[in-house]
Amino acid sequence: MKDKIIEKANDMFLNFGFKSVTMDDLATEMGISKKTIYTHFQNKTELIMATTDYLFCNISCGIDAIVEQKTGPIEELYEIKAFVMKHLKDEKTSPQYQLQKYYPKIYKTLKVKQFELMQDCVIENLDRGIKKGVFRKNIDIQFISRIYFNGIIGIKDQEMFPIHIFPMTQLMADYLEYHVRGIATEKGLEILNNLLIKE
């Protein structure tokens, strides 16, 4: 039952927002009593911690599977973006922004985990891209990996990028293109332009 509660809560939080969904809403949606939820989770904060862990693990496993396929470095970035956006329901409710605003401790813990995951993934991607001749040889991998992570976090700031002006799917697409154009060789730009035609 605990896993079912986490799965349903995750789905509802991503669709309606961490703040909007109450324990009553979740109980009603699942057709169970609130008491049943409270036997597994002391409060909503504990449930949110469990759902963010669940989502993080799912996304980490999915990214690992994409990386293992060893497709081209630029193609890999676009596959990861599509996978993450699908799992975050295109970020309609800006989950990261809501966590930061209403559950800052959970957000801080999650951000550290995201950074560690992304660092490994992005550094490997950049390194492979240089070896394959799609990224420039003179880029500073440590700097680029950190600036890329910082940008991903930064564009989710709704005060800076209001969602009614910058829909998240478009914002992520624009940011990824910006990232790749900044480091790509002629060969890399050709791959990017072909991918953009298909998008």
Side-chain angles (χ1 to χ4, degrees):
M1 179 53 81
K2 188 175 183 177
D3 290 345
K4 284 182 179 172
I5 293 168
I6 290 172
E7 282 176 36
K8 179 49 78 176
N10 178 63
D11 192 52
M12 290 179 76
F13 287 145
L14 289 177
N15 278 312
F16 307 109
F18 290 107
K19 184 77 174 154
S20 307
V21 177
T22 65
M23 296 299 240
D24 283 316
D25 295 332
L26 180 59
T28 303
E29 184 68 24
M30 292 190 74
I32 59 175
S33 70
K34 211 160 55 161
K35 191 178 169 189
T36 306
I37 298 172
Y38 284 119
T39 58
H40 298 286
F41 304 98
Q42 283 187 350
N43 50 45
K44 187 177 170 184
T45 303
E46 201 177 284
L47 176 60
I48 288 173
M49 280 171 69
T51 57
T52 53
D53 275 351
Y54 164 81
L55 186 60
F56 179 80
C57 290
N58 275 356
I59 288 175
S60 299
C61 291
I63 289 173
D64 286 346
I66 292 167
V67 170
E68 276 171 31
Q69 289 169 15
K70 296 282 183 233
T71 55
I74 296 172
E75 293 89 339
E76 179 181 279
L77 287 171
Y78 274 84
E79 278 180 49
I80 289 172
K81 177 192 69 113
F83 173 80
V84 171
M85 291 304 284
K86 184 183 170 194
H87 273 73
L88 292 178
K89 315 271 185 194
D90 288 339
E91 302 203 47
K92 291 189 289 281
T93 60
S94 307
Q96 183 183 286
Y97 181 72
Q98 284 205 2
L99 273 184
Q100 189 175 3
K101 196 169 179 183
Y102 303 113
Y103 301 92
K105 280 187 180 173
I106 298 173
Y107 169 77
K108 206 172 176 184
T109 306
L110 187 63
K111 188 179 171 186
V112 170
K113 286 162 73 176
Q114 283 176 327
F115 177 69
E116 286 166 1
L117 171 73
M118 269 188 76
Q119 273 297 92
D120 291 345
C121 179
V122 175
I123 286 170
E124 194 276 337
N125 179 274
L126 291 168
D127 194 46
R128 202 152 42 88
I130 291 168
K131 285 176 181 151
K132 286 189 171 282
V134 296
F135 297 149
R136 289 183 284 109
K137 283 182 182 155
N138 63 342
I139 61 171
D140 181 333
I141 287 179
Q142 287 295 330
F143 171 75
I144 298 292
S145 67
R146 281 169 164 75
I147 205 81
Y148 181 62
F149 176 77
N150 223 28
I152 290 277
I153 296 294
I155 62 171
K156 292 174 184 180
D157 180 343
Q158 288 226 326
E159 282 157 25
M160 190 64 71
F161 296 98
I163 208 154
H164 63 281
I165 302 173
F166 301 97
M168 192 48 74
T169 43
Q170 190 58 49
L171 199 53
M172 284 297 287
D174 290 344
Y175 181 65
L176 183 52
E177 182 183 346
Y178 174 81
H179 167 70
V180 175
R181 285 196 187 280
I183 58 175
T185 58
E186 294 261 338
K187 183 181 173 184
L189 287 173
E190 199 176 314
I191 292 166
L192 174 66
N193 290 330
N194 286 333
L195 279 172
L196 292 174
I197 290 164
K198 293 173 193 169
E199 279 273 295

